[in-house]
Amino acid sequence: MKTSISILASVLVLSVTANAANTQSLSNQLKNHDSPYLAMHGDDPVQWQQWNEETIKKAQQQNKLLFVSSGYFSCHWCHVMQRESYKNKETAKLLNDNFIPVKVDRELNASLDNRLIDFVEKTRGYAGWPLNVFVTPQGYPIVGMVYVPPVDFQNVLNSLNDEWQARSDELTIIAEKASKELTMATDLKKISITKDFKEKINKKLLLETYALADEMQGGFGDQNKFPSVPQLNVLLDTYQHNREKRLGNFLQLTLNVMASQGMRDQLGGGFYRYVIDPGWQIPHFEKMLYDNALLASLYLKAARIFNRTDYEHIARETLDFMLEEMKADEAFIASMSAIDGKGIEGGYYLSDIEHGHHLITADSVDEIARQNNWTPYKTEKLLNLAREKMLRHRKNRVLPLDSKKIASWNGLVLSALVAGAQLKIDSEKYFHAADKLRSYIHNNFWDGKQLYRAVGKSTYGDAGLEDAAYLTKGLLDWANLTKDKRDYKKATRLAEKSWQWFFSDRGWQLNRNALLKYKETEQAVLDGPLPSPSAILTQASFELARQTGSKDLEDQARRSLEVAAALVQEQPFWYASYIGLYQ
């Protein structure tokens, strides 16, 4: 007998005809939306709806599957699928007649996207963006996929509609059962946190690290390379404690190649999101605010631990890049597109020669000087002149920006600026920028009562655990810098509200109003490209409890560590941000 998951996987047997359902007229809800990503879909012939209770009710009233498509502004394949499928009138008719089409900006609704990613990874074995998931009117995901070529996508729409028309009751039951099976809590019993617990998980962390590490080229894995900042951050702490030569070599190799090769914009500053080859040469060209904030903080930490001024220089360049290129109204925008104004992936950054290329650092200034019999001063001067000339040329090109400001990511920037404000060089500049950002946060994201996800023409979006955690941490870091009791009080207030909103006896929830009936709570949140928000809030709460004497915050934090302990012990690499919390 098939399990509900295996039945779910067999739903997409392609058929050739569409069975149009009775439909009620919809209209595209995205025109002039504050989110640049959603607004760019406002003229699609697809009648896009937003993810909310009203849209769910429409699906229930019409007994239609929701087609939920999640992406983001700087995503290359999101633009491709829009051009090929969502601008296609025939495809739009299939979606409009037979489904309730929903467009989601993953940066606005990170918790929904997180759950859909989890579903697609578990049913497909991989996930990414654009992320396309069919959801029953009751809120259970049933089939998911990423980019699909246009003809195949039409076949999927026809096939799934035929299946739904023929046996919607059966598929509804299957989807509900599959969701419960896929999200069933692992049978990890609560474990006692002994004195040697931290030592055990640190040992296991190193074993998992070396199993995944590319010790020849740096980073983790043997295909795409990502910054993996949460893991590198914890491994820096581990190295500071044990000074293991192998670990130190791996960390410096990784930091060196990330800074010198294709993941960093050698001309204009800032880091790209990831590279698509194991040798760190070919970037995916979008620049995300969160990557640059996290990497600035990481390189400042590495500079202290390894006593390397070049790492501090990289960190300051990254902070300056954010201040110069991503700052708007004292806060910071979400991203810079991978696609240039002509629709070319990386076109803004590539040279004009045939099969354009981008810059890497091949030799040091001293090596170039030696090869050409120049002084280092002359070499640096010539390189700066060349850089200025190329930057002037680049400025003539158009690079689309996602101008919305996201609460959680600005919290990460605040932490990075506070770290910069403690440097000997440029500290005053970073202090003033942090002070202005802190004021912006209180005036726009967190007023002491209400927490908002994003700011565009106005505040909008449902804030989640990620926003609460990273803003709490940023405000705490600011308070530690100023030593002002009023700053501690504001950070404490947000921490207290965060525990009320997002933690209960059932565990953590990523947002307060989960319409998707899938993985509604969890024992602990994994590290991803961003650090685990549940770990960050727990860490900040312990520190605030020490500073303010809040017994309630300390008790909540200790309780969450007990809930998380079994998972951290089982998979320390993926819950790395928790490790330092166990004493």
Side-chain angles (χ1 to χ4, degrees):
M1 182 177 179
K2 288 184 178 179
T3 67
S4 53
I5 295 174
S6 62
I7 294 173
L8 184 72
S10 67
V11 164
L12 279 180
V13 178
L14 299 181
S15 62
V16 293
T17 60
N19 184 1
N22 292 329
T23 184
Q24 295 177 19
S25 178
L26 299 173
S27 60
N28 192 322
Q29 301 293 307
L30 304 184
K31 196 171 184 66
N32 299 320
H33 195 282
D34 263 11
S35 159
Y37 175 69
L38 296 182
M40 82 182 199
H41 285 278
D43 293 322
D44 292 353
V46 178
Q47 302 304 316
W48 294 114
Q49 306 298 293
Q50 297 187 60
W51 179 259
N52 53 37
E53 290 184 14
E54 182 182 350
T55 298
I56 299 286
K57 286 178 182 176
K58 288 177 184 176
Q60 293 170 351
Q61 290 165 358
Q62 299 179 40
N63 192 33
K64 288 182 178 179
L65 290 171
L66 296 120
F67 170 71
V68 183
S69 178
S70 178
Y72 59 106
F73 183 79
S74 58
C75 164
H76 171 68
W77 287 104
C78 299
H79 288 264
V80 173
M81 196 158 182
Q82 179 189 27
R83 183 175 66 247
E84 292 179 345
S85 292
Y86 304 142
K87 292 291 189 184
N88 181 287
K89 291 182 179 179
E90 184 180 348
T91 302
K93 180 171 173 55
L94 288 174
L95 282 166
N96 297 337
D97 288 351
N98 303 315
F99 304 90
I100 302 294
V102 178
K103 207 9 126 170
V104 172
D105 182 338
R106 80 172 183 100
E107 296 170 357
L108 275 184
N109 203 329
S111 55
L112 172 64
D113 184 80
N114 177 287
R115 298 320 192 201
L116 295 178
I117 282 283
D118 185 81
F119 172 78
V120 176
E121 283 180 340
K122 286 178 177 174
T123 54
R124 290 275 174 186
Y126 59 90
W129 298 275
L131 185 68
N132 301 301
V133 182
F134 295 88
V135 178
T136 70
Q138 293 72 32
Y140 296 100
I142 189 166
V143 175
M145 63 209 70
V146 290
Y147 166 80
V148 184
V151 174
D152 293 342
F153 185 53
Q154 288 188 6
N155 288 338
V156 167
L157 296 175
N158 284 331
S159 173
L160 193 52
N161 181 57
D162 282 351
E163 293 279 351
W164 185 254
Q165 295 301 318
R167 53 190 188 116
S168 61
D169 290 345
E170 181 184 353
L171 293 179
T172 298
I173 294 170
I174 291 170
E176 182 176 354
K177 287 183 177 179
S179 287
K180 289 177 179 177
E181 289 178 29
L182 290 167
T183 61
M184 191 177 295
T186 310
D187 259 347
L188 290 170
K189 297 178 181 177
K190 273 194 174 183
I191 60 173
S192 58
I193 304 175
T194 59
K195 288 183 178 179
D196 61 350
F197 180 77
K198 185 173 182 179
E199 183 180 347
K200 287 179 179 178
I201 55 178
N202 266 312
K203 286 181 179 177
K204 190 168 183 180
L205 171 67
L206 286 178
L207 288 174
E208 292 184 352
T209 294
Y210 293 136
L212 294 167
D214 181 345
E215 295 185 73
M216 296 296 292
Q217 300 181 99
F220 299 102
D222 57 5
Q223 296 181 25
N224 294 351
K225 293 285 181 69
F226 288 83
S228 302
V229 173
Q231 285 78 19
L232 293 177
N233 190 51
V234 173
L235 290 169
L236 281 171
D237 292 334
T238 303
Y239 173 75
Q240 190 172 23
H241 175 72
N242 67 17
R243 294 291 169 175
E244 183 183 282
K245 185 177 180 181
R246 180 182 179 187
L247 179 59
N249 289 341
F250 168 71
L251 288 170
Q252 290 184 83
L253 170 63
T254 301
L255 291 163
N256 292 347
V257 295
M258 285 199 300
S260 66
Q261 302 304 299
M263 207 183 79
R264 182 163 166 252
D265 180 358
Q266 307 296 327
L267 189 58
F271 287 85
Y272 304 113
R273 193 163 71 91
Y274 67 99
V275 291
I276 64 174
D277 66 301
W280 300 90
Q281 297 304 298
I282 308 169
H284 213 356
F285 284 94
E286 65 260 47
K287 290 181 180 176
M288 313 302 295
L289 180 63
Y290 63 80
D291 282 324
N292 284 282
L294 288 169
L295 284 163
S297 295
L298 183 75
Y299 277 90
L300 285 175
K301 184 174 186 175
R304 294 193 302 272
I305 291 172
F306 291 111
N307 193 28
R308 287 188 53 168
T309 56
D310 57 331
Y311 287 170
E312 181 182 314
H313 178 73
I314 292 161
R316 286 192 290 105
E317 275 198 352
T318 307
L319 290 172
D320 292 344
F321 158 75
M322 289 190 290
L323 288 170
E324 293 164 11
E325 302 293 335
M326 302 191 82
K327 186 168 175 284
D329 299 328
E330 312 309 338
F332 295 78
I333 65 171
S335 66
M336 307 172 79
S337 180
I339 309 298
D340 75 353
K342 297 178 181 179
I344 300 170
E345 162 81 9
Y348 182 79
Y349 303 102
L350 298 173
S351 70
D352 293 327
I353 64 170
E354 187 180 3
H355 311 302
H357 66 279
H358 66 99
L359 299 174
I360 62 170
T361 299
D363 292 309
S364 67
V365 170
D366 289 341
E367 178 61 21
I368 295 170
R370 187 191 65 77
Q371 291 172 2
N372 293 277
N373 198 27
W374 296 338
T375 64
Y377 174 79
K378 178 181 179 180
T379 305
E380 192 74 61
K381 185 175 180 180
L382 288 172
L383 286 172
N384 285 335
L385 287 172
R387 182 180 290 111
E388 289 170 8
K389 185 175 182 179
M390 287 186 284
L391 279 173
R392 282 197 300 272
H393 182 72
R394 180 190 281 187
K395 290 291 185 183
N396 294 323
R397 301 171 177 176
V398 175
L399 181 65
L401 306 175
D402 187 336
S403 58
K404 68 177 180 290
K405 305 173 189 74
I406 296 175
S408 59
W409 301 0
N410 274 274
L412 296 174
V413 176
L414 180 56
S415 292
L417 288 170
V418 167
Q422 298 171 71
L423 297 173
K424 293 180 180 178
I425 301 174
D426 291 333
S427 59
E428 189 173 341
K429 174 173 65 175
Y430 302 134
F431 178 88
H432 287 308
D435 189 18
K436 290 177 181 178
L437 177 56
R438 186 263 316 165
S439 296
Y440 187 95
I441 287 169
H442 287 307
N443 291 332
N444 295 275
F445 293 126
W446 167 241
D447 60 8
K449 296 179 181 179
Q450 185 66 38
L451 182 64
Y452 297 97
R453 171 67 177 171
V455 175
K457 298 168 190 170
S458 60
T459 53
Y460 62 104
D462 294 328
L465 172 61
E466 177 187 294
D467 302 293
Y470 301 159
L471 284 180
T472 297
K473 178 64 164 58
L475 293 172
L476 168 62
D477 290 341
W478 173 257
N480 284 336
L481 183 65
T482 64
K483 303 300 181 183
D484 191 319
K485 291 182 179 179
R486 293 170 298 179
D487 291 326
Y488 282 117
K489 185 175 180 180
K490 290 175 181 177
T492 299
R493 174 65 177 162
L494 179 54
E496 291 170 343
K497 294 295 291 184
S498 301
W499 287 100
Q500 293 173 24
W501 288 333
F502 302 110
F503 187 72
S504 69
D505 291 336
R506 296 166 56 217
W508 293 95
Q509 56 189 66
L510 298 184
N511 62 355
R512 286 176 277 176
N513 185 25
L515 299 174
L516 189 75
K517 307 299 182 187
Y518 181 87
K519 200 177 182 182
E520 295 173 70
T521 59
E522 53 193 303
Q523 289 174 263
V525 183
L526 286 160
D527 284 313
L530 286 80
S532 162
S534 56
I536 293 300
L537 181 60
T538 301
Q539 175 197 0
S541 296
F542 273 128
E543 190 167 347
L544 282 166
R546 286 194 295 271
Q547 294 289 348
T548 65
S550 172
K551 180 97 168 38
D552 184 54
L553 279 182
E554 182 179 357
D555 289 346
Q556 290 278 45
R558 291 197 184 285
R559 186 169 153 229
S560 75
L561 286 188
E562 292 173 0
V563 172
L567 285 172
V568 178
Q569 179 176 262
E570 186 73 15
Q571 304 176 70
F573 185 85
W574 299 109
Y575 291 92
S577 293
Y578 271 95
I579 291 176
L581 301 176
Y582 292 96
Q583 302 301 324

